């Protein structure tokens, strides 16, 4: 059983131990590209339609040539098939501008195992620190070249924030804007519960529109929850009845500790976990 799968956009399954990128690929030297992370379950890429929508929107924001959905779908299906259906997988779709010297974009799909950190976060929840992101919620509107809202390959800041949190004994991060509003995690969307209402910050506030949160809201609305996009402050997290970091592979990680403060158990915890499970299996399937 392969522990890593690589499929290029021509649909070819490649040997992961063979070189693929040139040293001047703009993904490598500039982080100039976009990507998606998907969960593979039962031999199928979850929420594929939502991820391809976002990949296309990100590519458009970077003015990258778009290879078309058909090629992506074929490569994703080949990679998921190659991974098999007996365990979950962590799939990445990567599209870079290609070589600095010119030529076609670079595009490929990989699948690897879902790590222990993810399983622990799903099971036990996470401790989180709030960290300043260093920009206003208006960034996307006032400086579109900052590419807020596009899922670019430039994740060095996000990874540095996670290391900073880990050095302080926390598992994860919730970023705040220069106005002190809640933005998102470095790799997840923030969702809170207030009774039977789920709330997340509006994507227009210079954050990535989460596919898992979107799918969760779609399911939650059929289960008697009201779902809202509204500005949040860290104090809203503290007085809420549940805070989660929601994302494609980790799914729902309940925040049990925020800036060292233990949050009470959430009455919505079981509902949110099961609604996210339903969401990733039923939403965005074409
Ligand atoms: N926000 C950021 C910055 C992310 O990197 C991610 C996921 O990678 C998300 C939010 C959640 O998005 P999704 O639910 O589509 O995985």
């Amino acid at each position: 059983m392969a522990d890593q799968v690589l499929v290029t956009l021509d649909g070819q399954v490649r040997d992961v131990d063979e070189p693929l990128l040139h040293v001047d690929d703009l993904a490598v030297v500039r982080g100039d590209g976009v990507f998606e992370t998907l969960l593979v379950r039962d031999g199928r890429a979850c929420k594929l339609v939502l991820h391809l929508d976002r990949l296309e929107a990100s590519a458009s924001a970077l003015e990258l040539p778009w290879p078309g959905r058909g090629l992506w779908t074929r490569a994703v299906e080949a990679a998921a098939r190659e991974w098999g259906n007996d365990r979950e997988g962590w799939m990445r779709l990567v599209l870079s501008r290609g070589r600095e010297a010119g030529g076609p974009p670079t595009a490929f799909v990989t699948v690897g195992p879902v790590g222990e950190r993810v399983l622990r976060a799903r099971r036990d929840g996470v401790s989180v620190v709030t960290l300043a992101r260093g920009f206003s919620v208006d960034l996307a509107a006032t400086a579109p070249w900052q590419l807020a809202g596009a899922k670019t390959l430039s994740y060095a800041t996000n990874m540095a924030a996670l290391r900073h949190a880990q050095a302080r004994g926390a598992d994860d991060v919730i970023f705040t804007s220069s106005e002190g509003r809640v933005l998102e995690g470095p790799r997840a969307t923030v969702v809170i519960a207030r009774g039977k209402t789920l709330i997340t910050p509006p994507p227009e506030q210079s954050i990535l529109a989460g596919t898992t949160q979107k799918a969760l809201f779609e399911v939650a609305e059929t289960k008697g929850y009201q779902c809202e996009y509204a500005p949040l402050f860290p104090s809203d997290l503290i007085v809420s009845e549940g805070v989660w970091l929601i994302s494609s592979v980790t799914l729902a990680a309940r925040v049990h500790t925020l800036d060292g403060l233990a949050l009470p158990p959430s009455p919505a915890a079981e509902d949110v976990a099961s609604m996210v499970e339903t969401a990733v299996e039923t939403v965005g399937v074409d």
Side-chain angles (χ1 to χ4, degrees):
M1 188 168 44
D3 216 40
Q4 181 92 266
V5 166
L6 167 63
V7 177
T8 40
L9 209 59
D10 54 8
Q12 295 238 3
V13 179
R14 305 279 177 144
D15 181 346
V16 287
D17 294 321
E18 290 298 317
L20 179 75
L21 298 179
H22 289 95
V23 290
D24 67 344
D25 194 292
L26 289 161
V28 178
V29 293
R30 298 270 193 229
D32 190 4
V34 295
F35 77 109
E36 283 294 317
T37 300
L38 292 75
L39 179 66
V40 176
R41 190 176 264 186
D42 300 325
R44 201 176 57 78
C46 298
K47 300 188 267 98
L48 180 59
V49 172
L50 304 189
H51 286 284
L52 289 180
D53 286 348
R54 193 171 61 188
L55 188 67
E56 188 170 357
S58 299
S60 163
L62 271 71
E63 297 175 41
L64 285 172
W66 177 242
R69 289 174 96 91
L71 291 179
W72 281 112
T73 303
R74 185 180 63 169
V76 163
E77 284 171 357
R81 202 166 40 242
E82 190 70 12
W83 181 252
N85 56 10
D86 52 355
R87 60 184 172 148
E88 288 187 340
W90 176 304
M91 177 180 277
R92 278 206 188 94
L93 279 50
V94 178
L95 173 66
S96 95
R97 202 174 299 280
R99 299 188 66 177
E100 200 159 30
T106 305
F108 56 89
V109 177
T110 61
V111 191
V114 172
E116 184 52 36
R117 173 189 67 76
V118 166
L119 303 179
R120 223 180 15 252
R122 283 183 193 168
R123 191 187 58 224
D124 303 337
V126 287
S127 61
V128 163
V129 287
T130 51
L131 294 181
R133 186 72 172 89
F135 59 65
S136 157
V137 290
D138 292 339
L139 183 79
T142 57
W145 52 91
Q146 294 282 354
L147 302 172
K151 196 163 166 69
T152 78
L153 289 170
S154 310
Y155 260 51
T157 298
N158 301 36
M159 303 323 286
L162 288 167
R163 286 194 300 276
H164 188 83
Q166 277 146 19
R168 291 167 59 181
D171 302 313
D172 219 312
V173 172
I174 290 178
F175 285 128
T176 54
S177 73
S178 49
E179 303 86 357
R181 292 201 191 149
V182 170
L183 292 170
E184 62 186 339
R187 52 192 171 194
T189 310
V190 176
V191 172
I192 71 165
R194 252 182 222 150
K196 293 282 270 184
T197 303
L198 299 180
I199 310 168
T200 194
E204 297 74 33
Q205 293 194 342
S206 308
I207 58 180
L208 190 71
T211 62
T212 319
Q213 163 271 315
K214 183 171 193 259
L216 165 65
F217 276 20
E218 225 176 284
V219 170
E221 276 170 350
T222 68
K223 306 270 184 200
Y225 279 83
Q226 196 172 322
C227 297
E228 291 177 5
Y229 294 86
L232 295 174
F233 291 91
S235 54
D236 294 315
L237 308 185
I238 292 167
V239 300
S240 72
E241 289 159 80
V243 182
W244 291 265
L245 288 176
I246 304 281
S247 60
S248 294
V249 176
T250 304
L251 303 178
R254 194 180 82 79
V255 178
H256 58 65
T257 308
L258 184 70
D259 290 330
L261 179 75
L263 301 179
S266 166
E270 271 183 36
D271 275 3
V272 168
S274 83
M275 290 188 301
V276 171
E277 288 286 330
T278 307
V280 297
E281 291 184 6
T282 59
V283 178
V285 184
D286 59 1

